[in-house]
Amino acid sequence: LKITVKANHSICLICVAEMALGQVRYSIPEEMAMGSVVGSIIQDLGLDVKRLKSGRARIFTEDGSEYIGLNAEKGTLVVAKRIDREELCKQVSPCSLHFQIILENPMELHRIDVEITDINDNAPFFSKREYSFQVSESASPGARYSLESAKDPDVAHNAIQTYKLNPTDHFKLNVVSRPDGTKYIEMVLHTSLDREKQEEHKLTLTAFDGGNPQKSGSVKINVVVLDANDNSPVFSQSVYRVTVPENASRGTVILRVSATDNDKGANEEVAYSFSHHTDGASSHFNMDPHTGEMTVIDVLDYEKAKHYEIDIEATDKGGLADTSKVLIEVSDLNDNAPVISIISLSNPIPEDSAPDTVIAMLNIKDLDSDKNGQVKCFISKDLPFKIKSSSTNFYSLMSDDVLDRETVPEYNITITAMDEGSPPYSTNKTINLRISDVNDNAPEFPQPFSTAFIIENNSPGMSLISVKANDKDSGNNARISYFLEDSQLNGMSASAYFSVNAESGEILAVRSFDYEQTKEFHIRVKAQDGGSPPLSSNVTVKILIQDQNDNPPQVLYPVQTGGSLVAEMVPRSADVGYLVTKVVAVDVDSGQNAWLSYQLQKATDRALFEVGLQNGEIRTIRQVTDKDAVKQRLTVIVEDNGQPSRSATVIVNVAVADSFPEVLSEFTDFTHDKEYNDNLTFYLVLALAVVSFLFITCLVVIISVKIYRWRRERVFYKSGGNLPVIPYYPPLYADVGGTGTLKQAFSYEVYGTSDSRKSDITCSRPFKYSDFTLIKPSSTNDFKEVISVLDASLPDSTWTFESQQVSKTKCITVMLSNCGKSYIGIIPAMMDSNIVLYNLSIGTNVL
């Protein structure tokens, strides 16, 4: 692709660009104006301006020079500063600038070569304005005199092409080619000199280059004719070659030259020296004028100068001289370590980066040559990274395995560059590469299950337990929030019972709990991180409600009702240990809070009865005597084992008698005191209410009392249905233990005479209590219900109602007959107790 660029000075310049193996080459002349366009990289590299901007395109040069700049807005390369080919490359041809264009996201590397072509901007010149020669008049035609070659920094056709000597009466110019291909000029004598005719000759030497327009430079030559010295020195070699290591120390003799002169005496003495036109080599080497030894006087550096060309002269005292050339080759030593430059680095990189992701681009250069400059680059094999060569002296650091920030959050990658010299030199460069986090770890609880305890009757808002999850990620990815998973507990949402602090994971009770209703809960708490998308895990929390002694014992038997006339009868013939009855109670609490003990709190006669501490059995502790009162009132306290303990009391009425009529009056008066006290309390309260409050308030109090009593009875019967089944112990039952203290009930037919010892007794079938279904009459006058029950229980007999009587305690006494036998029945006025049926014939409590 040929591109014509017109500079500001109306000079047409030709730029050549070519694309090969991923690189572009341009050619421009030196001395172009700053800002001149070198080439369009968006066309030659197939890029666009948007890609240059997004990739942050920039130029990288190994030596840091900035001759060429990048115009990212237009996608062109421009001249950044003045380019002097002679200053940049001296005599090296071709002269090129090498640099790279680097783009990121993704990383791209493009090599650019810009060849700097020469223009004829330098004229030939000589190091001196005038040279003087002393030539003997005896010099024969053909004698040669070495002249300094002119210098022209330009190259190729712009360099020196021809020389011209003027005048040419005695001397002519000769261009000599050396075996190594170099050329030098000589002034050759072609006609003899005669000092007597002309003692001095003035000549002009002019050098012409091949540029257009052509340029030239000249020097004056003054030839002084000496008296005869007909032999000139002659070097043993026309060219001397020597190789010197670059680490040669000062004073090292590298060469000894020699020249011979066939003259005699003082004319054969030869002095050795560097030629007048020797360049800077004289600063590194020294020539001994007497011995011809050449020594090193300065440090040699192969990387700066690989060889030297030195012109030497051997001159006798008559002014005759001979010239020769010394070619010094500097041998390379491995004295330079590789240099590592990081030209691009992505730091940090995400932990989910795929293998072969480019992390950094490196430039590694060794100034040595051959094997000493060949570099191997490597990193530790234990790291999940690799080094790959992308082009000459350029390497890419790439990922070679899966990265995990939670395992290794950062890497210290030591890059080693080692040359192949002997001994080898190496350079290390360490990159601290950080791994950025991605949300690839869910929160984890230490255990999948947790257990918490809380005592019942807790206050709402009480803390139960704190669950804590850990997340191996960092930052927002490790910020954990806690949530209560919605589930059903006892038909209600879990949030109705518990709440979870989103920040701390603390579980709080929303309400107060009752152990007797619910003994444990199972809830699930979710821990969720702040990543995108978020990750979560769950933990199951088992919450156990611990019992508190908040329920007093409940007495199941004997049943305590307002108008109960139940009394336990103890015959006067009862022995010690006679089982009177058994107090049965339960406690809805659990554990030791439900362990019950029974104690006799009050008794009419404490010396007659005792209560079993554990079983609640009431037994006699001595023989019953005639002196013992018929009516015995026992107050039994039932106490649990809680802290503090709770208790309940029950009153057991015991009748000590052998027959029912004996205790009938006492039995019917059991409730009199209670009823009297209740009525008295009611009227006192009512009187105070009338004085203190209005009539409406009084009415509300009366209704509240009624509702309270009704609800109390309902609660008792309702709770009784949920209590465990306790066997019912009737007042009189058969003693299965065989003690005979309680006798099975029988009915008897008695035929009495005036002499009871001759009376006959006929035993009918015994009453079975399982045959009777006791009911509570709906009213005190509805005695037909009682008779119907008796008829149903004893279908082979007929019951008739004879009479009734209402006592002062509002108990109704009825007379019944059956098969000619008379019975008395006592029905309590409260209508919530059993009917007591007494056989008047034998004095036995039947029902």
Side-chain angles (χ1 to χ4, degrees):
L1 174 63
K2 292 187 177 180
I3 303 172
T4 301
V5 181
K6 189 173 183 180
N8 293 333
H9 301 290
S10 300
I11 299 175
C12 293
L13 305 176
I14 298 176
C15 300
V16 179
E18 59 182 19
M19 193 74 170
L21 299 177
Q23 73 179 33
V24 177
R25 186 177 183 86
Y26 296 94
S27 178
I28 63 171
E30 64 176 330
E31 302 295 342
M32 287 184 69
M34 291 178 60
S36 299
V37 176
V38 176
S40 175
I41 61 172
I42 61 175
Q43 294 178 2
D44 301 330
L45 295 179
L47 304 173
D48 55 25
V49 175
K50 184 182 296 183
R51 172 65 179 125
L52 294 179
K53 292 181 179 179
S54 64
R56 296 191 297 173
R58 63 187 184 276
I59 291 177
F60 171 80
T61 58
E62 296 178 3
D63 57 0
S65 61
E66 297 178 354
Y67 291 102
I68 305 297
L70 174 62
N71 188 338
E73 297 294 331
K74 297 181 179 180
T76 59
L77 296 175
V78 297
V79 176
K81 69 178 183 177
R82 175 178 172 271
I83 301 175
D84 187 354
R85 194 206 66 81
E86 289 74 28
E87 178 184 351
L88 184 64
C89 299
K90 295 182 172 47
Q91 296 297 312
V92 177
S93 182
C95 177
S96 298
L97 294 174
H98 307 286
F99 56 91
Q100 288 75 32
I101 294 180
I102 299 174
L103 295 94
E104 298 180 352
N105 300 321
M107 291 187 180
E108 295 181 30
L109 181 69
H110 301 282
R111 180 180 177 89
I112 307 295
D113 294 333
V114 179
E115 181 181 358
I116 311 301
T117 59
D118 186 45
I119 63 174
N120 192 23
D121 58 338
N122 292 283
F125 66 95
F126 293 88
S127 62
K128 296 181 179 180
R129 292 184 178 183
E130 184 176 351
Y131 288 100
S132 295
F133 289 91
Q134 293 179 343
V135 180
S136 175
E137 65 177 346
S138 62
S140 58
R144 298 174 300 164
Y145 301 92
S146 177
L147 299 177
E148 176 195 10
S149 298
K151 301 293 188 296
D152 193 339
D154 297 326
V155 295
H157 64 279
N158 293 324
I160 297 174
Q161 300 296 320
T162 59
Y163 291 89
K164 186 177 180 180
L165 184 63
N166 188 40
T168 60
D169 296 337
H170 296 280
F171 297 90
K172 66 178 181 179
L173 201 59
N174 186 27
V175 179
V176 181
S177 296
R178 294 191 179 96
D180 60 350
T182 61
K183 295 180 180 182
Y184 69 95
I185 56 176
E186 293 178 335
M187 187 173 63
V188 181
L189 179 65
H190 67 87
T191 59
S192 299
L193 298 176
D194 189 353
R195 188 188 65 84
E196 288 71 25
K197 291 182 178 179
Q198 187 176 354
E199 187 175 357
E200 187 175 3
H201 299 270
K202 294 187 180 294
L203 308 175
T204 300
L205 178 63
T206 304
F208 299 90
D209 63 19
N212 185 15
Q214 190 179 52
K215 294 185 178 183
S216 63
S218 61
V219 64
K220 292 180 179 181
I221 300 175
N222 187 20
V223 179
V224 178
V225 180
L226 299 177
D227 202 20
N229 180 23
D230 3 358
N231 291 288
S232 61
V234 177
F235 278 104
S236 60
Q237 298 178 24
S238 61
V239 177
Y240 292 90
R241 298 179 184 275
V242 65
T243 301
V244 182
E246 62 176 326
N247 65 342
S249 60
R250 290 182 175 90
T252 301
V253 178
I254 63 172
L255 179 65
R256 182 190 294 270
V257 298
S258 63
T260 58
D261 193 319
N262 293 329
D263 291 329
K264 295 295 183 178
N267 289 331
E268 69 175 353
E269 294 180 5
V270 178
Y272 301 96
S273 65
F274 292 139
S275 177
H276 297 291
H277 51 270
T278 299
D279 294 331
S282 59
S283 63
H284 292 84
F285 304 97
N286 181 55
M287 175 70 75
D288 189 305
H290 303 292
T291 62
E293 289 182 346
M294 185 177 290
T295 57
V296 178
I297 62 172
D298 198 4
V299 177
L300 302 180
D301 191 349
Y302 173 84
E303 288 70 38
K304 293 182 179 180
K306 298 177 176 56
H307 58 83
Y308 296 91
E309 293 183 5
I310 303 175
D311 293 323
I312 59 174
E313 292 182 348
T315 306
D316 62 17
K317 290 188 176 181
L320 298 179
D322 190 16
T323 61
S324 182
K325 182 179 285 291
V326 178
L327 299 179
I328 301 174
E329 294 290 337
V330 180
S331 61
D332 183 39
L333 294 177
N334 192 26
D335 58 344
N336 290 281
V339 178
I340 302 175
S341 300
I342 299 176
I343 60 178
S344 182
L345 174 63
S346 297
N347 191 13
I349 63 171
E351 62 178 321
D352 61 349
S353 298
D356 295 333
T357 298
V358 177
I359 299 168
M361 296 193 70
L362 312 171
N363 173 251
I364 302 177
K365 189 176 181 180
D366 194 317
L367 298 178
D368 294 323
S369 62
D370 299 329
K371 285 188 176 181
N372 295 331
Q374 295 179 6
V375 178
K376 295 185 297 183
C377 184
F378 56 89
I379 61 175
S380 173
K381 294 182 179 179
D382 297 332
L383 298 175
F385 305 98
K386 63 182 179 180
I387 290 285
K388 183 178 180 181
S389 177
S390 55
S391 62
T392 305
N393 295 338
F394 287 90
Y395 297 85
S396 297
L397 176 63
M398 310 170 69
S399 60
D400 193 36
D401 201 350
V402 177
L403 304 178
D404 186 6
R405 189 205 64 82
E406 289 71 37
T407 303
V408 182
E410 65 178 19
Y411 293 90
N412 287 321
I413 305 173
T414 300
I415 302 170
T416 302
M418 180 181 294
D419 60 28
E420 296 185 5
S422 180
Y425 276 80
S426 64
T427 301
N428 295 327
K429 196 171 190 69
T430 299
I431 298 176
N432 180 258
L433 181 65
R434 301 182 304 277
I435 310 300
S436 61
D437 185 50
V438 296
N439 193 26
D440 57 347
N441 289 279
E444 294 182 357
F445 287 97
Q447 296 178 349
F449 300 95
S450 295
T451 303
F453 299 89
I454 183 173
I455 299 176
E456 65 173 332
N457 302 316
N458 59 288
S459 58
M462 181 178 181
S463 175
L464 306 182
I465 189 175
S466 290
V467 293
K468 190 71 175 177
N470 295 318
D471 197 314
K472 296 179 180 179
D473 294 321
S474 65
N476 285 334
N477 296 332
R479 185 176 181 180
I480 300 176
S481 298
Y482 300 90
F483 304 95
L484 178 64
E485 284 197 354
D486 192 17
S487 60
Q488 294 295 316
L489 302 177
N490 298 332
M492 298 177 64
S493 174
S495 59
Y497 293 92
F498 304 98
S499 65
V500 178
N501 187 301
E503 295 294 331
S504 64
E506 183 181 20
I507 301 177
L508 305 174
V510 174
R511 60 172 61 189
S512 179
F513 300 112
D514 188 354
Y515 174 83
E516 286 72 36
Q517 292 182 358
T518 307
K519 294 179 173 56
E520 65 180 44
F521 295 94
H522 291 83
I523 62 174
R524 288 173 64 86
V525 177
K526 179 172 73 172
Q528 180 174 295
D529 61 28
S532 179
L535 302 177
S536 62
S537 63
N538 299 310
V539 63
T540 299
V541 181
K542 181 180 180 181
I543 300 174
L544 298 176
I545 310 301
Q546 293 181 322
D547 185 44
Q548 194 178 41
N549 192 25
D550 58 343
N551 292 282
Q554 295 183 8
V555 178
L556 302 181
Y557 183 83
V559 179
Q560 297 293 295
T561 58
S564 175
L565 298 176
V566 175
E568 308 295 343
M569 290 190 64
V570 177
R572 293 187 180 276
S573 61
D575 295 330
V576 177
Y578 178 84
L579 178 61
V580 179
T581 187
K582 181 175 183 179
V583 177
V584 180
V586 295
D587 195 317
V588 295
D589 292 324
S590 64
Q592 66 178 10
N593 295 329
W595 296 351
L596 302 180
S597 60
Y598 303 85
Q599 295 180 358
L600 186 61
Q601 186 181 35
K602 292 191 295 184
T604 304
D605 187 353
R606 280 187 171 270
L608 183 58
F609 302 100
E610 69 175 357
V611 179
L613 180 64
Q614 302 298 331
N615 55 20
E617 292 181 349
I618 300 176
R619 294 179 180 271
T620 58
I621 57 177
R622 62 176 176 80
Q623 182 70 40
V624 179
T625 64
D626 293 339
K627 295 180 180 181
D628 292 325
V630 175
K631 182 175 68 172
Q632 297 285 338
R633 186 182 180 92
L634 307 178
T635 302
V636 178
I637 182 170
V638 182
E639 187 175 18
D640 59 28
N641 198 36
Q643 292 295 331
S645 62
R646 291 178 175 267
S647 62
T649 58
V650 59
I651 297 176
V652 181
N653 294 313
V654 179
V656 180
D658 290 331
S659 61
F660 185 76
E662 183 181 352
V663 297
L664 183 59
S665 60
E666 296 290 342
F667 187 75
T668 56
D669 289 340
F670 276 172
T671 61
H672 175 70
D673 295 338
K674 181 177 182 351
E675 292 289 339
Y676 177 77
N677 292 334
D678 289 345
N679 291 335
L680 180 60
T681 302
F682 174 77
Y683 288 119
L684 288 175
V685 173
L686 182 60
L688 291 175
V690 170
V691 174
S692 305
F693 303 100
L694 301 174
F695 175 76
I696 298 176
T697 305
C698 183
L699 182 61
V700 171
V701 171
I702 295 173
I703 295 174
S704 299
V705 171
K706 293 295 184 180
I707 293 175
Y708 172 77
R709 290 185 176 180
W710 176 78
R711 288 186 62 185
R712 184 177 180 184
E713 293 178 2
R714 293 266 307 199
V715 169
F716 175 77
Y717 287 109
K718 188 174 181 180
S719 62
N722 297 327
L723 298 175
V725 178
I726 305 299
Y728 174 78
Y729 296 95
L732 297 175
Y733 59 91
D735 186 9
V736 296
T739 60
T741 56
L742 296 178
K743 298 179 181 179
Q744 192 175 15
F746 284 87
S747 63
Y748 303 91
E749 290 183 2
V750 181
Y751 300 93
T753 61
S754 59
D755 189 358
S756 61
R757 289 175 295 177
K758 296 181 179 180
S759 301
D760 295 329
I761 298 176
T762 302
C763 296
S764 62
R765 69 177 179 86
F767 288 108
K768 296 180 181 179
Y769 295 103
S770 59
D771 293 341
F772 294 94
T773 302
L774 304 182
I775 66 170
K776 299 174 183 177
S778 59
S779 66
T780 56
N781 296 325
D782 194 1
F783 300 106
K784 295 181 180 180
E785 295 184 15
V786 178
I787 296 174
S788 63
V789 171
L790 297 175
D791 288 339
S793 301
L794 300 172
D796 57 345
S797 61
T798 302
W799 296 84
T800 58
F801 173 72
E802 295 183 357
S803 64
Q804 67 178 6
Q805 180 181 356
V806 179
S807 67
K808 62 181 178 179
T809 60
K810 296 185 179 181
C811 292
I812 301 172
T813 305
V814 297
M815 296 297 294
L816 301 175
S817 62
N818 178 264
C819 300
K821 293 177 283 294
S822 297
Y823 297 87
I824 184 170
I826 300 175
I827 303 174
M830 297 301 292
M831 303 307 294
D832 56 359
S833 299
N834 295 334
I835 299 171
V836 179
L837 185 62
Y838 199 86
N839 190 338
L840 297 178
S841 302
I842 59 175
T844 301
N845 186 0
V846 179
L847 184 61

